[in-house]
Amino acid sequence: MSTVALTINGQEVTVPKGTRLLDAATGAGFFIPTFCHDENSPNYGGCRICVVEVKGARNLVASCCAEALDGMVVETESEAVVEARKTILELMLANHPVDCLTCDKAGDCRLQDYAFRYDVKAPTLGGERKDYEFDDSNPYINRDMNKCILCAKCVRTCQDVEERAVISLAYRGFNTKVAPALDGNLATSECVSCGRCVSVCPVGALTYKSLSGKTRSWEVAKEQVTCTWCDAGCQFDLLRKNGKAVGVVAKAPSEGRPLCLKGRLGLELRYNDEPMAPMIKKGDQYVEVSWAEALGLDEIIEKLK
Amino acid sequence: MGSLKEVRSSIEEAYKKKLDRPRIIVGLGTCGMAAGGTKVMAAIETEVEKLGLDVDLDFTSCIGMCYAEPVVEMGLPGAASVVYGGVYPEDVAQLIESHMVNKTPVTDKAEIQISAGGATYEGIPVMEKSPYYEKQVRSVTSRLGRTNPERIEDYIATGGYAGLEKALTMEPQEIINQVKISGLRGRGGGGFPTGTKWQFVADAVGDKKYIVCNADEGDPGAFMDRSVLEGDPHAIMEGMMIAGYAIGANEGVIYCRAEYPLAIKRLNMAIAVAEEMGILGDNIMGTDFNFKLRIKAGAGAFVCGEETALLNSIEGKRGMPRVRPPFPAHKGLWQKPTCLNNVETFANIPFIVRNGGDWYASMGTEKSKGSKVFCLTGKINNTGLAEVPMGITLREVVFNIAGGIADGKKFKAVQSGGPSGGCLPAEQLDLPIDYDSLISGGAMMGSGGLVVMDEGTCMVDVAKFFLNFTQLESCGKCTPCREGTKRLLEILERICDGLGVPEDIDTLERLAKTIKTSALCALGQTAPNPVLTTLRYFRNEYEAHINEKRCPAGVCPELLTYAIVEDKCVGCGVCIKACPVGAITGEKKAAHTIDASKCVKCGACVPKCKFDAIVQA
């Protein structure tokens, strides 16, 4: 395999040809923040928080997309890079509720982590803020578009499943937002509540309704479990608080692992000490159903009788 | 079709005969139609029929003198034809009687005359010597206003498709070499060397390659691509076909904004007739070369003029830029090698192939060869389209071609390069217009819009205007552009409203720098330019708004107050009638007063006062 040699923060690094700068740098032990980067749908380059300085380049370079080339000289935390990252964080915070005290994502939020790292304490720019209605129409997923930083990971991960593509970016400029068809809510959309979008959201824009207000990220212990409802073998985290199982959340989907509601519900029933009653969409409405119906087990149970 | 030469001679003969007939031609580009050209055409038809005249009636595209629309050309055999400007239906009868019946041109309505070997008239400037055209060089625009764009015969008779015919006898690499020799740089604004781009695509590995024409001109104040599309559609197609042959592509797409319906109509007509004649399609002109062409109408997003967003749009995706590399030359439309150039670039190609790269390189400057079409708009006497040699100065364009500043006012700035270009002040008027000089001045070539501003323009307001545009048109993909332009705009709005604070200037500069260096595509990277150049050249205006709560140009309403000078006011009451909100009161023949709390600063009273008694402060 051919390799390339480059200098990152003064350190000689050799990586296979075709490696992205992000991977080359993180592989060498350097930190680079990312919001929109997703191994499963790479080369998006939207959030720009991962920019680095490449000697000779006209502008800062998004390390999640740029390929490491022979002889490159890269700085991952130069003055210009830090300044750009701080400004990008300020721009995001100028338009993001700073309700970390009560946010379900506190402790597990990249925006919070990076703001801490780059010492961005409060929104400084002022101006108009988004004021979208909170979408709690879906029984499983809460959508707070005021917290969305538009990294579009949810959009891409939803579109990666054939015939799904429930959400997309809509509108332009400051009004750009992630929206289901006709900018409706999740309940009226074709959403199947699989939770792929929730699993990739780096901030508190998409959260599990079942966990809302129940736990803080630092209070829970995670235990990885594998779903056996089909042969995809999707992985989930079982969350335990004070020894009690409180929820099952999807780990990021990867290629060949579709994630589905049925799988997650099955795991909830199996592991959760107090699972919420399942809801299934019938016609236009979500209605509470039995576990047997939610998991499609009616027929089998009947036969077992 | 066999050799084009076989049909060319008969077409040329017919065309010559047409020129030797009494004829009236109306300019029916979008500008001509907007000015009422269609009604003028109808009036001419009625008049000609009424008088029973033996006259050919025809229409053409915009000749470039948009300031003179509606434009009508009248010609008699053996004599120069005269182009009349500002012709309205009520003028038609007199013009026809004088020019076509009595053979006497109406000098005071005549703009120019075009001799083409015929006898000229006294008292009317010949096109090449007229103020508007003297400093111009017309190649890309040479057919504009001269031929009927809906007739392929007019195109062929004026040298059309001779470039393609010649190209098909050449080796593809030979064509690329000629484009390289010409020094042609991308006329979309970036200025990348066209020959080098073609070489990349030719060398790229791929079972299928595409030619894409970027006809998504979206800059406020720019209409050169529209004019060429409407006035010479075949030239763009010919350029694309030559490119296809040179780089090994057999399919092309013209991405044209849907706001250009006339351009799309004429392109569709041109494609249909070229296919019918065997100039487009399979076995073009009897050779093995096949090329098919289609139009994709864009839905009107400014970002779709960015090449990778444009490719996404053709593919049916949301028009958002892709990261580069890979460049479209390697992975473009449907991930295949793609040669993507803009309208003007392709329209230059037939001339370069016909006349050779050296001919083209003989025009312009060392690093910017050839000619460039500019759109002249703003506070000038002559708005319109002008094709000038690269290297001409801004002063020559503004004061010679555009006829200087309207209403005797003073020049203040010229904005070059669209919403993301820069505003250059009077000190930069002798800057030669070429890619590198404009960038060194803080502006850019862009697609070729030049917006001229006079002393009555507030530069903070101008920056606000352009930021409003880029903010609305940001695709929303990258944070610096989506969020940053919004905050820049808000700060500018605050300053214009008199709510600016001294720190605002630092914040503007800091934000602008981050957006410029970290945005994903050229839209974001250039969006802060209006802020940065106005801060560079007109910082004092920002400071006056912030520190003195004063708009030096008298534009920003929140910073204006209106008052009546007691000594000058005769108490006539005209201003009282003009005021829409009842803010002015006073007895007859006694000095009036303005109630500042009621005044909405519309300024309606000022022009009504014959005694200059109302002042802005």
Side-chain angles (χ1 to χ4, degrees), chain A residues 37-42 157 160 196 200 252-255:
Chain A
H37 178 64
D38 186 339
E39 273 303 330
N40 295 312
S41 54
T157 197
D160 281 348
R196 281 174 76 95
V200 294
S254 58
E255 214 173 325

Side-chain angles (χ1 to χ4, degrees), chain B residues 126-193:
Chain B
V126 174
M127 187 177 195
E128 294 77 19
K129 298 281 172 208
S130 68
Y132 194 72
Y133 289 104
E134 197 176 4
K135 289 188 183 286
Q136 291 197 43
V137 283
R138 281 167 61 89
S139 59
V140 168
T141 57
S142 59
R143 289 189 190 89
L144 270 54
R146 306 305 307 135
T147 58
N148 182 326
E150 294 184 8
R151 258 202 316 262
I152 197 169
E153 292 83 355
D154 283 23
Y155 184 68
I156 292 170
T158 50
Y161 290 115
L164 176 64
E165 201 173 25
K166 183 177 170 186
L168 294 177
T169 66
M170 295 163 74
E171 286 297 319
Q173 185 58 47
E174 216 181 314
I175 299 168
I176 297 174
N177 291 345
Q178 285 303 312
V179 177
K180 282 183 185 168
I181 291 167
S182 77
L184 175 67
R185 293 171 66 172
R187 294 294 188 248
F192 190 80

Side-chain angles (χ1 to χ4, degrees), chain B residues 192-244:
Chain B
F192 190 80
T194 306
T196 310
K197 186 186 272 186
W198 285 24
Q199 190 71 63
F200 285 154
V201 191
D203 294 344
V205 182
D207 52 342
K208 172 95 183 168
K209 295 179 183 179
Y210 290 98
I211 305 291
V212 175
C213 175
N214 183 345
D216 192 68
E217 180 176 60
D219 301 10
F223 46 87
M224 49 266 140
D225 288 351
R226 176 178 58 72
S227 303
V228 177
L229 288 160
E230 285 174 8
D232 209 3
H234 287 284
I236 297 145
M237 290 159 52
E238 188 179 351
M240 291 178 75
M241 281 189 257
I242 293 170

Side-chain angles (χ1 to χ4, degrees), chain B residues 311-334:
Chain B
L311 294 173
N312 270 351
S313 182
I314 296 177
E315 292 177 7
K317 299 174 186 150
R318 178 173 162 98
M320 294 200 302
R322 305 173 181 173
V323 287
R324 293 175 298 179
F327 289 91
H330 294 119
K331 283 187 177 177
L333 188 58
W334 310 113

